[in-house]
């Protein structure tokens, strides 16, 4: 599935949100990167370790400004049409380091999360594959105006889930992930490349994007 010509390919940031370099979510992010590129899009693979930043503190922001790590992550998000986050699940929720990064980046103006498409994936040794953490992750992203793709992917028992080649051990799950990535890219292409198909994104029926209730932190 080719999403665009080579010069105008859809650009996707694939972000591994775990701190460990060889984490399960780093492996999943690497696989998603290959699938994105195989579908004809451009993938920029990034990991949390590349973006050092302190715990968010309004006094620090006032005195020193937004840290370099948050600015660098903001620039990588702004340079892409869409992003994929591969996130661990900590205590059935979002890892603190990821939430902290979102909080810092949300302080950048113009706010880079607004109107970006996002696909959420996770890998965990647990039997639920980090799915609870992804539901929690949707909340701040959607609050900031991100168009989070409805279908999320969670790999359970992920310590047994990869082949030596980096594919998923279960062929059915591998096909499902591949199809999810391809469908996501088709949506991104339609929204960002074809002007005749563009429309406003409404959270609820009857919403207007310029109404105060839907602006929230998007602007």
């Amino acid at each position: 599935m080719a999403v665009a010509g080579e010069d105008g390919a859809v650009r996707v940031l694939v972000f591994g949100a775990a701190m460990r370099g060889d984490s399960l979510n780093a492996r999943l992010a690497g696989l998603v990167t290959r699938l994105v590129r195989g579908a004809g899009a451009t993938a920029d693979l990034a990991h949390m370790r590349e973006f050092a930043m302190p715990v968010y503190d309004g006094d620090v922001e006032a005195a020193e400004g937004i840290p370099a790590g948050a600015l660098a992550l903001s620039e990588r998000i702004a340079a892409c049409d869409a992003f994929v986050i591969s996130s661990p699940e900590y205590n059935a929720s979002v890892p603190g380091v990821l939430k902290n990064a979102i909080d810092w980046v949300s302080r950048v103006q113009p706010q880079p999360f607004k109107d970006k498409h996002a696909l959420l994936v996770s890998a965990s040794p647990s039997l639920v594959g980090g799915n609870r953490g992804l539901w929690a992750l949707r909340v701040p992203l959607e609050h900031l105006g991100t168009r989070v793709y409805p279908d999320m992917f969670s790999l359970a028992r992920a310590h047994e889930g990869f082949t030596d080649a980096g594919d998923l051990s279960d062929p059915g799950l591998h096909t499902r992930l591949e199809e999810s990535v391809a469908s996501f890219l088709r949506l991104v292409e339609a929204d960002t490349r074809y002007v005749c198909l563009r429309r406003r994104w409404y959270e609820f029926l009857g919403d207007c994007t310029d109404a105060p209730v839907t602006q929230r932190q998007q602007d």
Side-chain angles (χ1 to χ4, degrees):
M1 188 276 299
V3 295
E6 191 163 319
D7 291 339
V10 169
R11 300 159 299 173
V12 181
L13 173 67
V14 183
F15 185 58
M19 290 296 291
R20 287 193 306 114
D22 191 34
S23 72
L24 294 169
N25 281 279
R27 297 176 71 179
L28 184 57
L31 172 56
V32 170
T33 298
R34 286 197 288 115
L35 295 177
V36 168
R37 291 172 179 165
T42 298
D44 174 19
L45 178 60
H47 293 97
M48 183 65 78
R49 278 189 176 184
E50 299 176 46
F51 309 102
M53 60 191 84
V55 173
Y56 179 77
D57 183 330
D59 290 339
V60 171
E61 181 185 6
E64 304 174 16
I66 298 172
L71 291 174
L73 179 55
S74 173
E75 290 172 1
R76 300 276 281 274
I77 294 170
C80 291
D81 300 305
F83 59 90
V84 180
I85 297 180
S86 182
S87 176
E89 177 185 281
Y90 289 178
N91 297 313
S93 191
V94 183
V97 66
L98 175 56
K99 179 58 167 59
N100 184 60
I102 292 171
D103 291 342
W104 268 118
V105 171
S106 73
R107 302 296 294 169
V108 177
Q109 297 297 323
Q111 204 275 98
F113 290 110
K114 182 181 179 182
D115 295 335
K116 296 291 183 181
H117 289 273
L119 173 65
L120 305 183
V121 302
S122 63
S124 171
S126 75
L127 294 178
V128 293
N131 186 258
R132 296 166 300 186
L134 296 187
W135 281 108
L137 179 55
R138 297 184 71 98
V139 175
L141 292 176
E142 290 180 335
H143 176 72
L144 293 167
T146 303
R147 302 174 179 184
V148 183
Y149 193 62
D151 189 19
M152 304 182 293
F153 179 86
S154 296
L155 179 64
R157 299 186 63 85
H159 56 297
E160 302 171 347
F162 294 92
T163 68
D164 291 340
D167 295 330
L168 298 186
S169 304
D170 185 320
L173 285 178
H174 188 89
T175 297
R176 187 193 156 212
L177 177 59
E178 191 172 29
E179 291 175 347
S180 294
V181 169
S183 296
F184 173 67
L185 292 175
R186 283 193 290 268
L187 174 63
V188 176
E189 181 192 25
D191 189 59
T192 61
R193 294 293 184 265
Y194 301 133
V195 177
C196 62
L197 295 180
R198 288 181 185 170
R199 60 179 176 78
R200 292 184 181 274
W201 185 275
Y202 298 119
E203 185 171 358
F204 303 106
L205 291 176
D207 270 0
C208 296
T209 55
D210 57 354
V213 70
T214 56
Q215 282 186 325
R216 298 187 302 275
Q217 294 301 314
Q218 294 184 25
D219 297 320

